């Protein structure tokens, strides 16, 4: 078998958008207590105002701001104390000129008050009088009703991955059950006559399986559910049966190994044998990972990744994570990027998008970017790397001293 027409990374993603159009995940309702890391399946709107009453943001005294004008340490303003507001209770007092009420942080603001004086600037002279040593402006130290969130205001957009602060906001806004996308189901298959389980003793020529664990962990990190892991020998019938089973119970099937053009590389044939449209990508202009396979069988995306761990991980990040985000209708992924200065020349492969692993070192208040090299089968290359540089297919490498963007792993 020969590689099909080699596509660029962008062309490959355009084809993925076309071939995977119409594939989507089911949704489910969950309590917000279980919503961390899940993806909102609809826009969410506040069901109540936050805060639901005007409240103090400091520990101190509620006053009419104009009563404090001109107050200073040498010339305080004296106000009559009208009691306290208790936490969790409505403020019964009403502020009028010349009066003040003690209110703890978060307590309800009494009617008539338009500012808070922090307790540090107030002295209690007796049970009925306080001295104010600092002027305050209207609105200082308080939060009005609905100032944080208005009822009906959008609080979470469809496609947002929920963070702890989002869940807190939902609770505050009166939303306790939400609709989220079900987690995409991923099935991981590693192929090769040489592969054995990591717990097994190896014979000369055998290799402990790495990719099953690495790729499964990457799936979990992308909010997916791993529904199967298996090692399969280089046998067409065995692999065909395994992939068929995987397709029946998953949204995405990842096969590592067997994607090249050797006589035992049968992944593409297996995918084509299982249904339409089959393989639509076999070969991508990328280094490492050129012999990448992407296909669709029914409503399942099937990927054939190189067997070498580094190549498999790179292709997974570039393409498998792309479809996982697409399935979950995730907001556009924001890569975490650090800018630095390259401390060596880096060569690229003409006509290929190149991914170069690098380490970062802080020196003289700037980041120095140091390329690290290793064979594509060396898993330690990825563990040593802090990130990678993406060199475009039409870019002639990177020169020492050139500024670069490092995408953190």
């Amino acid at each position: 078998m020969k590689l099909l027409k080699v596509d660029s990374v962008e062309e490959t993603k355009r084809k993925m958008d076309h071939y995977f159009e119409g594939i989507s995940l089911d949704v489910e309702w969950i309590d917000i207590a279980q919503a961390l890391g899940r993806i909102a399946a609809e826009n969410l709107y506040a069901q109540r105002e936050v805060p639901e009453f005007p409240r103090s943001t400091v520990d101190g005294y509620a006053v009419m701001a104009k009563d404090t004008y001109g107050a200073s340490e040498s010339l305080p303003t004296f106000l009559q104390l009208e009691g306290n507001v208790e936490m969790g209770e409505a403020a019964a007092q009403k502020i009028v000129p010349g009066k003040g009420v003690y209110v703890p942080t978060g307590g309800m603001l009494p009617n008539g008050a338009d500012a808070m004086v922090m307790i540090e600037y107030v002295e209690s002279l007796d049970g009925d009088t306080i001295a104010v040593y600092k002027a305050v402006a209207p609105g200082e130290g308080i939060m009005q009703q609905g100032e944080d969130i208005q009822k009906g205001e959008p609080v979470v957009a469809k496609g947002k991955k929920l963070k702890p602060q989002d869940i807190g906001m939902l609770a505050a806004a009166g939303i306790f059950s939400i609709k989220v996308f079900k987690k995409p189901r991923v099935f991981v298959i590693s192929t090769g006559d040489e592969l054995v389980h990591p717990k097994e003793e190896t014979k000369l020529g055998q290799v402990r399986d790495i990719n099953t664990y690495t790729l499964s962990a990457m799936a979990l990190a992308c909010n997916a559910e791993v529904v199967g892991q298996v090692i399969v020998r280089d046998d067409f019938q065995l692999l065909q049966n395994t992939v068929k089973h995987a397709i029946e119970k998953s949204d995405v099937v990842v096969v590592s190994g067997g994607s090249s053009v050797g006589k035992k590389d049968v992944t593409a044939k297996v995918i084509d044998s299982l249904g339409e449209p089959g393989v639509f990508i076999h070969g991508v202009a990328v280094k490492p990972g050129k012999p990448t396979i992407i296909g669709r069988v029914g409503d399942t995306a099937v990927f054939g990744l190189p067997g070498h761990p580094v190549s498999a991980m790179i292709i997974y990040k570039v393409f498998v994570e792309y479809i996982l985000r697409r399935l979950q209708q995730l907001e556009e992924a924001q890569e975490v990027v650090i800018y630095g200065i390259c401390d060596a020349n880096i060569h690229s492969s003409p006509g290929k998008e190149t991914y170069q692993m690098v380490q970062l070192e802080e020196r003289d208040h700037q980041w120095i970017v140091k390329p690290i090299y290793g064979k594509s089968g060396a898993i330690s290359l990825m563990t040593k790397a802090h990130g990678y540089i993406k060199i475009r297919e039409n870019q002639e490498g990177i020169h020492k001293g050139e500024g670069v963007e490092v995408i953190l792993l």
Side-chain angles (χ1 to χ4, degrees):
M1 177 190 296
K2 295 182 179 180
L3 291 178
L4 304 181
K5 175 184 177 295
V6 176
D7 293 284
S8 70
V9 171
E10 292 306 314
E11 288 170 341
T12 299
K13 289 182 176 179
R14 283 195 292 270
K15 285 188 177 182
M16 290 173 68
D17 290 340
H18 170 70
Y19 278 94
F20 295 134
E21 186 177 6
I23 297 179
S24 61
L25 297 173
D26 291 334
V27 300
E28 60 183 340
W29 286 90
I30 62 171
D31 189 276
I32 60 171
Q34 283 77 50
L36 180 64
R38 300 300 296 272
I39 314 301
E42 62 181 358
N43 296 325
L44 299 173
Y45 301 89
Q47 300 300 300
R48 61 189 179 207
E49 294 177 312
V50 180
E52 295 182 78
F53 54 85
R55 66 187 185 193
S56 171
T57 62
V58 299
D59 192 18
Y61 292 84
V63 298
M64 297 182 74
K66 64 181 181 181
D67 281 344
T68 70
Y69 294 168
S72 66
E73 290 187 6
S74 60
L75 190 63
T77 292
F78 298 97
L79 300 175
Q80 183 177 348
L81 182 61
E82 287 291 305
N84 304 332
V85 172
E86 300 293 337
M87 286 296 293
E89 295 185 6
Q93 303 89 339
K94 182 177 181 179
I95 299 294
V96 296
K99 306 287 186 180
V101 174
Y102 172 75
V103 183
T105 304
M108 183 174 178
L109 201 69
N111 286 334
D114 63 359
M116 288 287 300
V117 183
M118 293 176 65
I119 197 168
E120 293 92 326
Y121 303 111
V122 178
E123 180 182 2
S124 179
L125 301 180
D126 53 43
D128 297 319
T129 307
I130 57 174
V132 178
Y133 294 96
K134 183 177 183 291
V136 291
E140 190 169 339
I142 65 174
M143 184 175 284
Q144 297 291 354
Q145 180 176 344
E147 183 177 333
D148 190 8
I149 303 172
Q150 289 285 323
K151 184 177 181 180
E153 178 182 340
V155 289
V156 168
K158 180 180 180 180
K160 182 175 177 60
K161 185 175 182 178
L162 295 168
K163 301 176 182 177
Q165 56 267 39
D166 299 318
I167 293 170
M169 180 171 60
L170 292 174
I175 301 170
F176 307 107
S177 181
I178 63 171
K179 188 188 295 184
V180 297
F181 289 106
K182 287 187 175 181
K183 292 186 176 184
R185 301 164 299 163
V186 176
F187 199 110
V188 180
I189 302 169
S190 290
T191 68
D193 292 337
E194 76 282 9
L195 296 180
V196 297
H197 191 280
K199 291 182 179 180
E200 294 182 24
E201 291 297 323
T202 59
K203 301 175 183 178
L204 285 177
Q206 291 183 325
V207 178
R208 288 187 175 88
D209 175 35
I210 293 174
N211 287 354
T212 297
Y213 294 88
T214 306
L215 300 176
S216 294
M218 293 179 76
L220 294 174
C222 202
N223 203 48
E225 176 187 2
V226 179
V227 295
Q229 301 168 304
V230 66
I231 299 172
V232 180
R233 290 186 287 114
D234 290 319
D235 178 270
F236 181 89
Q237 193 63 54
L238 280 175
L239 183 58
Q240 184 187 54
N241 291 339
T242 304
V243 174
K244 181 179 180 181
H245 170 70
I247 287 171
E248 291 171 352
K249 61 184 301 185
S250 60
D251 302 296
V252 176
V253 176
V254 179
V255 182
S256 70
S259 66
S260 193
V261 293
K263 63 180 181 180
K264 290 189 175 183
D265 296 318
V266 297
T267 300
K269 290 181 179 179
V270 164
I271 296 171
D272 278 337
S273 73
L274 292 173
E276 297 293 335
V279 172
F280 59 86
I281 292 289
H282 193 180
V284 181
V286 61
K287 182 182 179 182
K290 179 180 177 181
T292 294
I293 298 169
I294 306 176
R296 173 178 172 176
V297 178
D299 285 339
T300 301
V302 187
F303 292 84
L305 275 54
H308 288 309
V310 173
S311 300
M313 291 179 70
I314 291 295
I315 296 303
Y316 189 101
K317 287 196 69 66
V318 176
F319 297 119
V320 182
E321 287 189 2
Y322 180 79
I323 192 60
L324 290 176
R325 291 195 301 269
R326 191 180 189 279
L327 283 172
Q328 298 174 90
Q329 300 185 39
L330 262 168
E331 295 174 327
E332 187 67 27
Q334 297 296 315
E335 295 173 323
V336 181
V337 174
I338 282 182
Y339 297 88
I341 303 299
C342 196
D343 81 338
N345 292 329
I346 301 177
H347 301 289
S348 64
S349 296
K352 295 180 182 178
E353 186 162 289
T354 303
Y355 295 85
Q356 174 63 53
M357 299 300 114
V358 297
Q359 291 179 325
L360 292 166
E361 178 183 316
E362 192 172 11
R363 191 188 305 163
D364 298 328
H365 307 293
Q366 67 180 0
W367 289 107
I368 303 301
V369 180
K370 305 167 69 174
I372 55 175
Y373 298 98
K375 301 293 185 180
S376 59
I379 188 64
S380 62
L381 179 63
M382 294 297 282
T383 62
K384 293 174 183 176
H386 298 136
Y388 60 90
I389 296 171
K390 186 189 299 183
I391 306 175
R392 301 294 183 184
E393 58 184 296
N394 56 356
Q395 184 178 350
E396 295 182 359
I398 295 171
H399 297 289
K400 181 177 180 179
E402 186 176 340
V404 293
E405 294 182 356
V406 178
I407 302 168
L408 299 185
L409 290 172

